[in-house]
Amino acid sequence: MRKFVCRQRENTKISVFGHNIATKCAASAVAIMPHLRYNNSMPLSGLLWREKAAGIKAERAIGMDFLLILLMLFLGITGGYLFLIAPSIRRKKKSIPPDFFRPYAHRGLHDEKCGVMENSLPAFRRAAEKGYGIELDVHLTMDGHLIVHHDHSLLRLCGRDRQISRMTLAQIQSYRLGNTDEKIPTLDEVLSLVDGRVPLILELKSTRFGDTALAETTFRRMQAYRGQWCVESFDPVLVRWYKRHAPGIIRGQLAYDPGKLKDERKKKSLIHFLSAHLLCNFLSRPDFVAYGHETDKNLSFRVMRSLFRPCLAAWTVRSLEDFKILQSQYDWQIFEAFEP
């Protein structure tokens, strides 16, 4: 019995001693936990910090990738936009003959009050005698002749609502301009009268978008002309025809922004929008841009003028005051209703 009691006491002491050792080991383990190494190389706290840092770095990398994508999109869109509005880069302003840099009489030097009608031989004669360049409008008749007239119809100047494209030359020349004895002239008659004395701007007046018959017929006729001349049109496809088939001829893109007008001249269509914002320049790559100066606050026009500095023509200037203001902004001015 005495031996049993002694063994119990010894077991109790061993148990207490073991408990104390276990407690001290646990405390020591907690104390040294931060210094234990993972894979015998890194503290566990360092591992947690590294994982957190790696997460932050991954988030930053994703953010940088996103910013890079945005930058690439911005550069792509900007580059595409500039590609669309860029004029010709092969012919700089300095390479255009100096004789072209002068005022141009819009449809000749006309004055209806004095009986001199627009786009008439007397109007062209007056302009040539005074040394002004001449801007004129060219149409193709039903039988393939080139005549000089602005409107597609004869209503405004001849009093008959008939379409030029559906009439023969003989029918057209049976009418008179206003209350005068002047008939609508042919391009041949105008060329014979001017005879190279002043440069000409031929505006091609197509009746259907993209119909290049007028461009081709005009070029064939003008090949025999020895004076200075160039072409322009609202239709970029016609201007493009000259780019592809007659690159030596100076070509211009006509445009204006109808959204900036406050009267009945406003036009709303896709082609007018593209034209207003010069987004068809990639087709024609014009050597000069003739822009309606009343609407030239257009963003595309201002960007093109600032970045590419092409030759610019202002139309239509109707006062001496505007003429003087625009001299520093445009290279050519197409004027009417006054003399510079």
Side-chain angles (χ1 to χ4, degrees), residues 141-155:
T141 66
M142 186 173 67
D143 53 348
H145 292 278
L146 297 170
I147 61 124
V148 178
H149 191 73
H150 179 266
D151 300 356
H152 293 292
S153 167
L154 300 182
L155 180 61

Side-chain angles (χ1 to χ4, degrees), residues 45-101:
S45 60
L47 179 62
L48 294 175
W49 180 88
R50 183 173 181 179
E51 289 178 351
K52 184 176 181 181
I56 293 173
K57 188 180 291 186
E59 290 178 359
R60 288 179 178 175
I62 293 172
M64 290 299 294
D65 289 344
F66 181 70
L67 288 176
L68 182 60
I69 292 171
L70 286 180
L71 178 61
M72 292 176 66
L73 284 174
F74 173 76
L75 293 177
I77 293 171
T78 302
Y81 171 69
L82 295 178
F83 172 80
L84 293 177
I85 70 171
S88 171
I89 58 174
R90 70 177 184 88
R91 178 179 278 134
K92 299 294 184 180
K93 190 186 304 184
K94 294 181 179 179
S95 66
I96 296 176
D99 199 35
F100 278 99
F101 292 81

Side-chain angles (χ1 to χ4, degrees), residues 246-267:
I249 303 302
I250 298 171
R251 60 186 183 273
Q253 183 63 57
L254 269 167
Y256 73 104
D257 188 349
K260 303 292 184 183
L261 297 175
K262 298 180 180 179
D263 56 25
E264 68 281 357
R265 290 179 292 168
K266 278 191 175 184
K267 295 180 180 180

Side-chain angles (χ1 to χ4, degrees), residues 72-329:
M72 292 176 66
L73 284 174
F74 173 76
L75 293 177
I77 293 171
T78 302
Y81 171 69
L82 295 178
F83 172 80
L84 293 177
I85 70 171
S88 171
I89 58 174
R90 70 177 184 88
R91 178 179 278 134
K92 299 294 184 180
K93 190 186 304 184
K94 294 181 179 179
S95 66
I96 296 176
D99 199 35
F100 278 99
F101 292 81
R102 64 174 74 199
Y104 286 80
H106 188 229
R107 308 173 196 171
L109 196 58
H110 58 90
D111 186 347
E112 191 171 347
K113 294 179 181 178
C114 298
V116 181
M117 304 297 291
E118 65 180 61
N119 279 325
S120 67
L121 291 179
F124 298 138
R125 184 180 297 110
R126 290 180 70 201
E129 289 174 350
K130 295 195 175 188
Y132 297 127
I134 297 172
E135 185 271 350
L136 54 89
D137 308 284
V138 181
H139 280 271
L140 189 63
T141 66
M142 186 173 67
D143 53 348
H145 292 278
L146 297 170
I147 61 124
V148 178
H149 191 73
H150 179 266
D151 300 356
H152 293 292
S153 167
L154 300 182
L155 180 61
R156 181 171 63 89
L157 292 180
C158 300
R160 294 294 299 273
D161 190 9
R162 300 191 63 183
Q163 298 295 310
I164 288 174
S165 60
R166 299 177 182 176
M167 299 174 68
T168 64
L169 176 62
Q171 290 173 328
I172 291 169
Q173 292 201 322
S174 66
Y175 295 98
R176 295 296 177 263
L177 293 170
N179 296 319
T180 71
D181 292 328
E182 293 295 325
K183 62 182 180 180
I184 296 173
T186 64
L187 181 59
D188 286 342
E189 291 171 333
V190 175
L191 298 178
S192 297
L193 183 145
V194 176
D195 195 27
R197 288 180 287 172
V198 295
L200 304 175
I201 300 177
L202 309 184
E203 180 184 342
L204 306 181
K205 308 285 288 188
S206 60
T207 55
R208 297 192 311 275
F209 181 80
D211 184 2
T212 59
L214 174 59
E216 186 175 355
T217 305
T218 302
F219 175 68
R220 287 203 308 266
R221 172 60 190 89
M222 295 302 295
Q223 282 186 298
Y225 185 65
R226 298 306 173 190
Q228 299 273 21
W229 65 282
C230 63
V231 295
E232 65 179 10
S233 181
F234 283 104
D235 189 336
V237 179
L238 270 62
V239 184
R240 178 178 173 81
W241 187 94
Y242 277 85
K243 174 181 178 291
R244 297 182 63 185
H245 301 283
I249 303 302
I250 298 171
R251 60 186 183 273
Q253 183 63 57
L254 269 167
Y256 73 104
D257 188 349
K260 303 292 184 183
L261 297 175
K262 298 180 180 179
D263 56 25
E264 68 281 357
R265 290 179 292 168
K266 278 191 175 184
K267 295 180 180 180
K268 295 181 179 180
S269 68
L270 178 60
I271 188 61
H272 282 99
F273 174 84
L274 296 175
S275 174
H277 296 279
L278 304 173
L279 298 175
C280 292
N281 277 4
F282 79 100
L283 289 174
S284 56
R285 290 288 183 246
D287 299 313
F288 70 93
V289 174
Y291 209 86
H293 75 93
E294 295 174 321
T295 67
D296 66 2
K297 299 301 183 287
N298 176 287
L299 175 62
S300 291
F301 178 78
R302 297 170 79 173
V303 170
M304 180 204 65
R305 177 170 59 187
S306 299
L307 288 183
F308 301 104
R309 300 185 181 280
C311 182
L312 298 174
W315 63 272
T316 300
V317 185
R318 292 185 171 87
S319 73
L320 184 58
E321 181 182 2
D322 285 344
F323 184 88
K324 291 178 179 178
I325 293 173
L326 295 170
Q327 274 184 317
S328 62
Q329 304 173 33

